[in-house]
Each structure stands twice: as C-alpha cells, then as structure tokens.
Amino acid sequence: MPAFGHYTDNLREEKEKNMELLDRLLAVGFLTGSRAFGTNREDSDYDVVYSIEDSSLVDDILGDAKRSPSDYFAGYFVKDGDKQINLIPVHPHEYLPWYLATKAMTATLKQSGIIDPIRKYSVFMGIVSLFKGTVEQRGPLSAYASVKEEIAKGF
C-alpha cells in the first residue's frame, strides 16, 4: 500500500504542476470582477480574491512569476500566457463580504445597466460595505477557516 500511495502522490503533484496558474489560484481564492459578473470582454483580466492568511500558498503557486503592482484598485497582477490575473488579497474579516458582494453583482449587474468600470467598482464596494456591517464577525482569525469551507460547499 505505501508504494501505491507514493505513486498516487506523484501523480497528484505532476497534475498540480501542469494545472494552469489561474486554476491553481482559484483553488485558493475565488473569481470576482467582470468575468464573475458576466460582463467581461474577451480581453478582460481575471480578478482573484484570496485571504491574506493564504499568502504563503499563493506565493508557492506563483513561484518566481513576475508580480507587478495593479493599475486597478487593489493588489497586484501576474501574467499567465496571454492572461492577466489580478490578485486581490483581503483580510479574513473581508473574505465573506467580498464573496457575497460578488454573488450579488453576478445576479444583478447585467440588469442594472451599469457599464462604466468606476461605477461598477463603486457599487461593488458599497455592497461589500453593507455585508461587512451585517455579516457576523467570527472573532479570532482562526474562526475564519470555516468560511472558505462554507463557500466551497456553496452555502
């Protein structure tokens, strides 16, 4: 059995190495922005939110990939072939509000008629603020591990 387990581990490691950078980052965080909202253009970037508690995992995934300050509103970006990925690190207290705001924008943005990126961002951050004011604070940072599990299950 140990030899088979080792073989399985090697296959898993090889598969993980071959996964696209974006897929590996989405295993740690979640997609937000125009690609999540369904308002993207073909050349739109990919916005990935992750908790600062997962910074070491993101660093491991990125390896020596060049990181550049985002010319957007937050975080930094990396290139993955022809894809630009904006990485948005947030405090664990903000992770769930960002996720809920992303879901709210995904459900309503197309019908709202808002197309200007600055206005979309303003509305989004307003929704994040609303959720930050209503989502139960979970106390110490260790209590936020369950948030990612809840998101993975889809609530």
Side-chain angles (χ1 to χ4, degrees):
M1 181 83 168
F4 181 72
H6 179 70
Y7 176 75
T8 305
D9 289 342
N10 286 343
L11 283 176
R12 185 176 16 258
E13 286 174 27
E14 191 61 32
K15 182 179 179 186
E16 287 173 3
K17 282 184 209 172
N18 292 328
M19 284 177 64
E20 285 192 47
L21 181 61
L22 179 62
D23 292 333
R24 290 183 282 148
L25 290 167
L26 288 173
V28 176
F30 62 88
L31 190 66
T32 191
S34 65
R35 290 204 180 261
F37 308 153
T39 59
N40 60 292
R41 298 180 319 267
E42 191 172 318
D43 65 341
S44 291
D45 58 10
Y46 294 80
D47 299 305
V48 178
V49 175
Y50 68 93
S51 170
I52 58 172
E53 286 195 319
D54 291 326
S55 293
S56 62
L57 289 172
V58 171
D59 288 343
D60 289 346
I61 291 168
L62 294 177
D64 60 357
K66 183 178 184 240
R67 302 159 204 213
S68 301
S70 178
D71 55 357
Y72 200 49
F73 296 102
Y76 56 98
F77 74 88
V78 296
K79 292 282 193 179
D80 183 19
D82 60 347
K83 294 181 191 122
Q84 178 171 307
I85 303 169
N86 287 320
L87 293 158
I88 305 166
V90 298
H91 190 278
H93 295 299
E94 295 181 339
Y95 192 81
L96 182 57
W98 269 74
Y99 177 78
L100 294 172
T102 296
K103 290 299 185 186
M105 291 287 280
T106 300
T108 62
L109 187 62
K110 284 184 180 178
Q111 292 80 20
S112 75
I114 300 170
I115 57 172
D116 177 69
I118 302 297
R119 289 190 63 216
K120 280 194 282 190
Y121 180 77
S122 296
V123 169
F124 178 80
M125 291 311 294
I127 296 170
V128 169
S129 293
L130 289 170
F131 281 121
K132 281 171 61 174
T134 58
V135 170
E136 176 186 345
Q137 295 296 313
R138 297 180 179 218
L141 296 182
S142 60
Y144 283 84
S146 64
V147 170
K148 291 194 307 187
E149 292 170 10
E150 291 170 21
I151 288 172
K153 290 181 203 171
F155 285 86

